[in-house]
Amino acid sequence: MGCTAETTAAAIRAAADAIAVNRAELTSLDRAIGDGDHGDNLARGFAAVITKLDAEVPATPGAVLKLVATTLISTVGGASGPLFGTAFLRAAAAAGEAAELDAATVAAALGAARDGVVSRGKAEPADKTMVDALTPAVDAAEAAARNGGDVAAVLAAAAEAAEGGAVATTPLQARKGRASYLGARSIGHVDPGSRSSAYLLRAFAAAAAG
Amino acid sequence: MKKFVNDPATFTDEALAGFAAAHRDLVRIGAGPTHLVRVDAPVADKVAVVSGGGAGHEPLHIGYVGPGMLDAAVPGRVFTSPTPDQVQAAVQAAAGPRGALLIVKNYTGDVLNFETAAELLAADGVPVATVLVDDDVAVQDSTFTAGRRGVGGTVLVEKIAGAAADRGDDLATVAAIAAAVTAKVRSMGVALGPAVMPNSGEPSFVLDDNEIEMGVGIHGEPGRERAAMATADEIVGTLLTAIVGDLPFTAGDRVLLFVNGLGGTPLAELYLAYNGARKYLADKGIEVSRSLVGNYITSLEMPGLSITLLQLDEQTTMLWDAPVHTAALRWGR
């Protein structure tokens, strides 16, 4: 089954739930190497997204993703707002006007999202950022799509790879964002943005699996 | 930890409402996404000077809105950058055809949100220039970090750029003056303890009784090292050695010396530190010709201070001395 506006909206709702449930953990991770508000800021943004989706679900998957993007950009603040907002905005552009997305398009949208984060935040792999969760996720999603996987399989592969990528940020020294000021003291902590990225992808995968 | 809070979710909105009501002769809250403008904005025939950033650093930036300084300030949540639509709304409310200068502290969140706003404003045909303030010498290696942070020097850049705009300079000139001040200002801070976030009630970091955070940023981010507690003159000496050596400031320079409290340090201790700084600079042959001492860019209730030095020339001195009337800085009118 492909990905429609309704299933995209359901995936976004699942993502909002995941952020709300894990809000305290994300904030606590951020307190260790940032400024201690990542979970709160993302939760506020996704709560605003849900309010808009409750009022009206846009007509296409791309339009749903664009609504998520503009809402996150205008409600989250910090670095996370523009970074997650840009990710969803680029994914929306990749989705285009199609009423239903196939597995290859979903993988391509994930790739566009990752590229958007890289161009906005200028982070490279192993800088200890959300890019370290998104890049293995994109690689896994593209491989799954090439091997004939459906949307659920593509997202499940992405989620698993993102979770691994988030854990793999632990031994890294941060070179971007506020955590970079810790230098070697940032080693030994999971990057909060990589963890929240993995939560989003896991929620998308669970929603797609039904 | 005890704090004055009703609901963490409305903390910044309530504080801003109180500020606007207390200073309603100077400022008003603008319509649309949260921002604060001069009560008489947009002021005809001048470049608008706009700054912003997370709340929790008061009086920065809202306390500097008024004649001779900022035309608008854009507050975010505590320690969180404002969003692009807020910046856009502030510039639209404050700027006329001569455009706006955005003064941005070099923190990833502020840079990304103001950059996005500048793109949106440019697309709407609003002339916009941006200056990034990155005066914190505690961050030594920009290759492996997000670069030097914007700290105490921001207050001086806002005052001097505001004075240039007030006398009628065009956008390119105001931007060039702001960039020149940024190039000649250096700062470093030290914390004796953490700030406590109103959303969580948790301290931003933990120090042992005899430890200090040398090179702290204005959100409690670390800089150079955790050092052992020392005398005031020793701590001031460590800060000034890093600052003076960086530009470098040399014998014969005339400077503005700014000793800033981070929110939880008594004025008596700030003046004591200022006294030590004067002696240190006199020994180096550096002449202090202007001074500012007090809580001007804070980190909630953090005990600590920062020292900022600005190399002065004739024009910069004249713009610093120019009249200003804001909630937090006022002289000459």
Side-chain angles (χ1 to χ4, degrees):
Chain A
M1 193 182 85
C3 175
T4 65
E6 283 301 330
T7 56
T8 305
I12 297 298
R13 290 178 187 283
D17 287 344
I19 295 298
V21 166
N22 296 292
R23 166 187 183 145
E25 185 217 341
L26 292 171
T27 289
S28 166
L29 288 175
D30 192 32
R31 198 175 307 124
I33 60 169
D35 61 350
D37 58 9
H38 185 58
D40 299 327
N41 289 341
L42 272 191
R44 185 176 62 245
F46 274 96
V49 169
I50 296 310
T51 302
K52 291 192 184 176
L53 285 179
D54 282 347
E56 187 186 358
V57 174
T60 63
V64 172
L65 295 170
K66 190 174 178 199
L67 177 75
V68 175
T70 54
T71 307
L72 292 181
I73 287 173
S74 65
T75 54
V76 174
S80 308
L83 290 171
F84 280 100
T86 301
F88 280 99
L89 202 56
R90 297 294 180 87
E97 316 257 306
E100 190 166 338
L101 309 182
D102 61 14
T105 311
V106 169
L110 273 180
R114 188 269 318 271
D115 293 348
V117 170
V118 169
S119 73
R120 178 62 75 194
K122 315 213 167 43
E124 292 173 15
D127 279 351
K128 198 179 181 99
T129 70
M130 58 195 285
V131 171
D132 295 321
L134 293 177
T135 293
V138 170
D139 293 345
E142 287 172 348
R146 270 197 309 275
N147 293 333
D150 61 7
V151 168
V154 163
L155 289 171
E160 189 173 343
E163 285 160 357
V167 170
T169 63
T170 308
L172 299 175
Q173 176 170 334
R175 289 188 299 220
K176 279 284 181 293
R178 224 174 260 175
S180 67
Y181 301 123
L182 281 159
R185 284 191 267 169
S186 63
I187 293 169
H189 301 276
V190 172
D191 172 63
S194 70
R195 177 58 60 82
S196 57
S197 300
Y199 281 140
L200 295 182
L201 288 169
R202 177 55 70 194
F204 295 164
Chain B
M1 189 65 69
K2 287 175 279 194
K3 290 183 89 69
F4 292 106
V5 176
N6 296 313
D7 173 359
T10 57
F11 181 87
T12 48
D13 291 338
E14 290 179 67
L16 185 68
F19 181 88
H23 301 288
R24 62 186 185 279
D25 55 325
L26 290 172
V27 300
R28 61 182 160 81
I29 294 175
T34 305
H35 64 279
L36 195 80
V37 288
R38 274 175 65 159
V39 70
D40 53 352
V43 182
D45 206 31
K46 88 181 266 297
V47 170
V49 181
V50 178
S51 190
H57 307 303
E58 291 73 17
L60 192 85
H61 300 272
I62 55 176
Y64 303 128
V65 176
M69 211 160 165
L70 299 181
D71 293 87
V74 198
R77 306 276 169 161
V78 173
F79 293 177
T80 299
S81 162
T83 56
D85 56 323
Q86 287 178 261
V87 178
Q88 204 182 0
V91 170
Q92 282 161 348
R98 300 191 70 193
L101 175 69
L102 305 180
I103 298 174
V104 183
K105 303 192 293 303
N106 188 33
Y107 276 96
T108 305
D110 291 310
V111 172
L112 295 183
N113 283 284
F114 276 84
E115 198 175 80
T116 306
E119 286 172 20
L120 295 169
L121 287 160
D124 286 347
V126 180
V128 171
T130 298
V131 61
L132 275 186
V133 184
D134 56 351
D135 55 317
D136 189 353
V137 305
V139 180
Q140 289 167 302
D141 192 341
S142 295
T143 315
F144 295 102
T145 67
R148 285 187 164 179
R149 305 171 290 218
V151 289
T154 311
V155 177
L156 312 185
V157 174
E158 290 179 5
K159 166 66 184 81
I160 291 164
D166 210 38
R167 72 178 178 187
D169 289 1
D170 64 18
L171 179 58
T173 307
V174 177
I177 288 170
V181 173
T182 300
K184 290 182 186 297
V185 69
R186 296 290 185 276
S187 302
M188 187 159 150
V190 61
L192 308 184
V196 177
M197 296 289 286
N199 63 334
S200 63
E202 299 284 340
S204 50
F205 56 86
V206 180
L207 288 175
D208 287 342
D209 278 351
N210 64 338
E211 267 185 336
I212 60 177
E213 185 73 54
M214 190 59 78
V216 74
I218 54 172
H219 313 90
E221 330 84 286
R224 294 196 168 187
E225 58 170 347
R226 294 226 164 141
M229 188 58 191
T231 67
D233 281 353
E234 284 165 349
I235 293 171
V236 165
T238 301
L239 296 176
L240 277 173
T241 300
I243 292 166
V244 168
D246 189 85
L247 190 60
F249 295 86
T250 54
D253 279 357
R254 294 171 62 241
V255 298
L256 187 161
L257 170 59
F258 171 27
V259 174
N260 172 63
L262 292 175
T265 295
L267 277 175
E269 293 179 33
L270 297 182
Y271 280 110
L272 183 150
Y274 172 86
N275 191 50
R278 288 285 300 225
K279 283 188 289 187
Y280 178 102
L281 294 170
D283 283 348
K284 302 273 183 217
I286 297 168
E287 182 198 339
V288 176
S289 78
R290 295 293 184 275
S291 298
L292 185 66
V293 182
N295 296 290
Y296 290 101
I297 167 169
T298 62
S299 188
L300 296 169
E301 72 272 68
M302 183 184 287
L305 59 79
S306 65
I307 297 181
T308 298
L309 283 189
L310 167 64
Q311 207 174 52
L312 289 170
D313 56 24
E314 206 167 302
Q315 171 174 260
T316 316
T317 308
M318 189 179 73
L319 291 169
W320 176 256
D321 288 343
V324 60
H325 184 181
T326 68
L329 277 187
R330 182 179 185 181
W331 56 73
R333 73 165 102 198

